[in-house]
Amino acid sequence: NVSAQSGSVSATTASLSATACTLSTLVGNWKFDGNGNNEVTGKPNAVTVGNAAFNSSGGKLNGYAYIPSSSDYVKIPYNSMFYLPNSFTVDFWFRQRSNQSFFQDLVYKGSGLNNYNFRVFRQLWNEYNFGPIITGYTSVSTGWWTQTSNPNQLSHNVWHHVAYIKSSSMSAYYLDGVETHSTTENSVARTPAVDIIVGDSAVDTDIDELKIYDRALSYGEILQNAGLAVKSKSSVVSKPKLKISKKQMANVAESVSKLVEEIRKLLKK
């Protein structure tokens, strides 16, 4: 019993350590449940600018941030924890209530024409195009914009999950749990010391459950954040094992022996 209890304690400790390790990579978590609180202790809260609002219900999970017009947005003050040159994940939900016909930023950290740590936006150009999600960053070495994009079509007034990841070897983005595009471009991203902006020019759009990590999430973690099932070994249906009795085995052996004997007789002829 003592040994079993010791093993249980060890397993619990390992589990807690793994959880702590995962949590330590989360540098920002804004649920927007009626406020801009950051669930990561001691890190910046979000604030509304203009007529943007934090609603306490009606979001993907409880509340959400609402951006009514082009002059409204949510701002997250700069913090050194948001210095993310090599690896990061930007993960959130958004719902665009109605069609728009112009460029719309969803989440970004950067400034100017091409000076971004990360940028996630939607390009809509007419009433017939629901617009692709485009993600990217500015390379330190080349000064070029490095993006992942796809001409995906998204329905309005529906929640969509977006995850944009960058590591030291690649970058990719996932839409509703599906990888839509990736690149092996691995240059270091520029890291301007500026605020994170949410929903700037994203007219009539809702944003919920914004999370920023200092590492690239795994595919399984992205699925978990998107509320999609992750296939585990236990979920795989195994084929039933064929059960044969000793008597059946003996009969098979006898039949094989008779067959061998008949073949021998034929070969002697």
Side-chain angles (χ1 to χ4, degrees):
N1 288 339
V2 173
S3 177
Q5 289 176 355
S6 176
S8 176
V9 170
S10 297
T12 302
T13 303
S15 176
L16 290 173
S17 297
T19 301
C21 180
T22 301
L23 290 176
S24 68
T25 67
L26 188 61
V27 298
N29 180 13
W30 300 270
K31 295 183 176 182
F32 301 137
D33 291 346
N35 57 60
N37 293 348
N38 190 343
E39 300 300 311
V40 179
T41 304
K43 303 310 174 191
N45 295 332
V47 296
T48 57
V49 175
N51 293 317
F54 297 130
N55 295 321
S56 58
S57 62
K60 179 62 182 179
L61 295 173
N62 300 316
Y64 64 98
Y66 176 56
I67 313 300
S69 71
S70 59
S71 58
D72 309 320
Y73 58 93
V74 170
K75 179 176 70 174
I76 301 168
Y78 175 74
N79 184 279
S80 59
M81 288 292 288
F82 305 147
Y83 176 79
L84 304 167
N86 298 303
S87 300
F88 59 75
T89 298
V90 180
D91 183 293
F92 63 95
W93 291 88
F94 84 96
R95 174 177 61 187
Q96 187 170 52
R97 293 170 177 267
S98 61
N99 179 68
Q100 307 298 327
S101 58
F102 47 82
F103 178 100
Q104 298 191 334
D105 272 308
L106 296 174
V107 181
Y108 70 85
K109 175 177 170 278
S111 61
L113 183 63
N114 195 9
N115 187 35
Y116 291 91
N117 195 162
F118 54 79
R119 190 179 193 182
V120 182
F121 60 93
R122 194 175 189 188
Q123 182 70 61
L124 300 112
W125 54 85
N126 60 41
E127 67 272 25
Y128 305 110
N129 190 290
F130 292 138
I133 299 294
I134 299 175
T135 64
Y137 65 91
T138 305
S139 168
V140 168
S141 59
T142 66
W144 295 344
W145 170 252
T146 302
Q147 76 175 32
T148 56
S149 64
N150 192 61
N152 44 61
Q153 301 291 317
L154 299 176
S155 55
H156 295 310
N157 210 30
V158 174
W159 284 104
H160 296 285
H161 181 260
V162 177
Y164 172 39
I165 67 171
K166 180 189 182 308
S167 70
S168 58
S169 60
M170 55 82 72
S171 62
Y173 93 88
Y174 299 78
L175 184 62
D176 296 330
V178 177
E179 181 182 310
T180 59
H181 190 250
S182 64
T183 175
T184 56
E185 170 61 44
N186 59 359
S187 56
V188 174
R190 288 185 176 178
T191 55
V194 296
D195 301 335
I196 294 172
I197 304 299
V198 181
D200 180 22
S201 73
V203 175
D204 203 20
T205 298
D206 307 325
I207 307 288
D208 200 3
E209 298 294 318
L210 172 61
K211 298 181 178 72
I212 297 178
Y213 302 79
D214 63 4
R215 66 182 176 89
L217 292 187
S218 67
Y219 179 54
E221 290 171 316
I222 291 169
L223 289 181
Q224 192 171 29
N225 282 354
L228 300 172
V230 180
K231 184 177 287 187
S232 62
K233 291 181 180 180
S234 59
S235 67
V236 178
V237 179
S238 58
K239 295 181 180 179
K241 293 182 179 179
L242 183 63
K243 294 182 178 180
I244 302 176
S245 66
K246 290 182 178 179
K247 185 176 180 181
Q248 289 173 318
M249 287 293 291
N251 290 337
V252 170
E254 184 178 356
S255 298
V256 171
S257 296
K258 288 181 179 180
L259 180 60
V260 170
E261 187 61 31
E262 290 295 328
I263 292 173
R264 286 175 178 173
K265 288 180 181 180
L266 289 171
L267 291 174
K268 289 179 180 180
K269 291 181 180 181

